[in-house]
Amino acid sequence: MTATASYYLGCITGTSVDGLDLALLRLHPKASGSDIETCAYATVDIPTKLRQELLALGQPGANEIDRLGAADAALGAFIAQQINQFLEQHKVAANSVTAIGSHGQTVRHRPPNKLANNRGDTRAFTLQIGDPNQIAELTGITTVADFRRRDMAAGGEGAPLVPLFHKALLGNNNQAQALLNIGGLANLTGIPETNQSNQTLVGFDTGPGNGLMDAWIMRHQNQAFDANGDWAAQGKVNEQLLQRLLSDPYFNRKPPKSTGKEYFNLAWLDAHLNHGSRLAPQDVQATLLELTVGSIVRAVSDLDNRYDRVLVCGGGRLNGQLMQRLAASLAAQDVALGTTDDIGVDGDSLEAAAFAWLACQTLAGLPGNEPSVTGAKGPRVLGAIYPA
């Protein structure tokens, strides 16, 4: 680590809204590989009322502007409070942190294509809340936020943004590997071998991760998630339903592409269920798990480059049933499955760490996007800066 390295803190709530992830890094501009030092990380539960409101704002509803404004301020204040407690716990002074990179909570993501926009509008936009003014004011730390909209203004999807960080972290390797984040959605980064200079970085959303399974078990079991996939394991995959789900045009689209819970949600699932006979809820859950597996495996097989292994991060790696099915399906393609934890990279903190790194890029005036991933016209410095 160079002498000019300093602390940066990243935070993100994620598509599942199942917690606030925090990661404290020591970085310098252009940091990569072993230069990226994760000093501390944590996941904090989001208060139930705030979580429910954030989830509700992910879909159209009544009185949205007032509700959005209140949730924006509340989430910003909550993030700031948790950052202050996190730094105090780890005995890190606020004035030693150069910047916070706050992703916030996505409440709408409408990429620039009609397929991913249910209303058919051609005007793309994306919106993340968690007021960075509150974060900067209450922590006394410069905050960088609103990372996605500049990429979208440049013609990009605004997502995913983490592949460039994945490349910085894992790119110095003589093995072609893919990094798979399974959160509410699943996204895949293909990182070529170091000596394969002719290979471009690839990254895109493969489709549903845990999100549909979480929503389905909440509807039928009043549980936030299917622990270890045990409920899905009690069911039987319905092949007819699975094929209807996999026939969605999104899965056949070539990257760049991104999606969100505005597209893959219970209303989307219900529309497919209405075409068939009534199924036992656990059978639907088993089918949803297989949908996640099938869409990921299809995405890996469609990649132009050959990847030797897939490393999983995010909450999905804790679903034993999902990981078992994914390992078996990838093994049929001679692709090994592991987790980022296997190589010493905590699978819960990786996305939060990415936004710490992106904040460092922003303050250094360096690009945070990868045009081959997002489809933007070119590299762009991302994010708005809210000074301490």
Side-chain angles (χ1 to χ4, degrees):
M1 183 66 65
T2 70
T4 57
S6 56
Y7 286 123
Y8 289 82
L9 190 149
C11 55
I12 184 171
T13 50
T15 311
S16 297
V17 203
D18 53 1
L20 171 68
D21 294 330
L22 302 165
L24 182 69
L25 277 64
R26 278 180 61 83
L27 296 169
H28 63 85
K30 299 184 180 180
S32 64
S34 60
D35 288 336
I36 299 173
E37 177 189 350
T38 302
C39 303
Y41 53 83
T43 299
V44 184
D45 290 338
I46 298 173
T48 301
K49 184 177 180 181
L50 178 58
R51 180 176 188 269
Q52 290 173 343
E53 183 61 5
L54 293 173
L55 285 169
L57 284 168
Q59 301 297 320
N63 198 27
E64 283 189 310
I65 294 179
D66 279 329
R67 289 169 48 218
L68 180 72
D72 182 39
L75 180 58
F78 172 74
I79 291 171
Q81 177 190 46
Q82 296 307 315
I83 288 173
N84 287 336
Q85 292 180 10
F86 177 75
L87 293 176
E88 182 179 355
Q89 176 186 353
H90 292 284
K91 298 180 171 55
V92 175
N95 61 12
S96 68
V97 179
T98 300
I100 295 165
S102 178
H103 173 272
Q105 175 62 42
T106 299
V107 292
R108 287 291 191 284
H109 183 64
R110 303 288 192 191
N113 61 80
K114 292 183 179 180
L115 177 59
N117 186 331
N118 290 332
R119 300 172 306 167
D121 294 351
T122 56
R123 176 66 66 183
F125 72 93
T126 188
L127 180 61
Q128 289 73 43
I129 64 171
D131 186 5
N133 296 284
Q134 295 274 353
I135 299 171
E137 184 67 26
L138 296 173
T139 64
I141 302 170
T142 294
T143 300
V144 186
D146 194 14
F147 287 94
R148 299 191 182 277
R149 293 200 289 180
R150 181 58 189 275
D151 180 86
M152 195 169 275
E157 296 265 329
L161 295 183
V162 292
L164 199 59
F165 173 68
H166 293 163
K167 181 181 179 182
L169 188 66
L170 304 173
N172 295 325
N173 200 298
N174 60 2
Q175 184 181 42
Q177 54 193 340
L179 199 155
L180 173 67
N181 177 58
I182 307 179
L185 298 170
N187 56 71
L188 185 70
T189 301
I191 306 169
E193 294 177 45
T194 305
N195 60 2
Q196 296 294 319
S197 58
N198 61 327
Q199 295 288 342
T200 57
L201 183 67
V202 180
F204 56 94
D205 292 337
T206 64
N210 306 315
L212 283 173
M213 291 186 284
D214 291 348
W216 187 253
I217 197 171
M218 174 57 73
R219 175 187 282 184
H220 291 277
Q221 301 282 319
N222 198 31
Q223 299 292 321
F225 61 94
D226 187 1
N228 202 45
D230 289 344
W231 193 46
Q234 296 173 26
K236 182 179 179 181
V237 174
N238 183 282
E239 287 296 335
Q240 288 185 328
L241 174 61
L242 178 61
Q243 292 311 312
R244 282 202 302 273
L245 299 176
L246 284 171
S247 69
D248 188 280
Y250 181 82
F251 300 119
N252 291 322
R253 275 190 58 214
K254 297 296 183 184
K257 63 177 181 178
S258 63
T259 188
K261 58 189 176 184
E262 303 84 359
Y263 190 88
F264 290 111
N265 51 38
L266 284 181
W268 177 85
L269 173 61
D270 288 340
H272 289 283
L273 288 172
N274 289 339
H275 285 86
S277 58
R278 182 173 178 83
L279 300 175
Q282 64 269 28
D283 291 346
V284 176
Q285 186 76 347
T287 306
L288 291 175
L289 186 145
E290 201 64 26
L291 170 67
T292 296
V293 171
S295 55
I296 290 169
V297 171
R298 179 185 293 186
V300 172
S301 66
D302 285 347
L303 292 172
D304 292 334
N305 196 26
R306 160 77 187 176
Y307 294 92
D308 302 301
R309 66 173 176 175
V310 173
L311 297 172
V312 184
C313 65
R317 79 193 195 288
L318 305 178
N319 184 322
Q321 182 74 7
L322 176 63
M323 291 293 286
Q324 181 181 339
R325 287 292 307 125
L326 192 55
S329 298
L330 288 173
Q333 299 184 15
D334 294 322
V335 178
L337 182 71
T339 69
T340 57
D341 305 82
D342 299 336
I343 59 169
V345 178
D346 175 68
D348 288 326
S349 66
L350 200 59
E351 282 212 316
F355 283 91
W357 184 84
L358 284 167
C360 183
Q361 293 286 105
T362 302
L363 293 186
L366 296 171
N369 67 335
E370 175 54 63
S372 66
V373 170
T374 67
K377 297 171 186 175
R380 296 291 187 269
V381 178
L382 305 181
I385 301 170
Y386 299 79

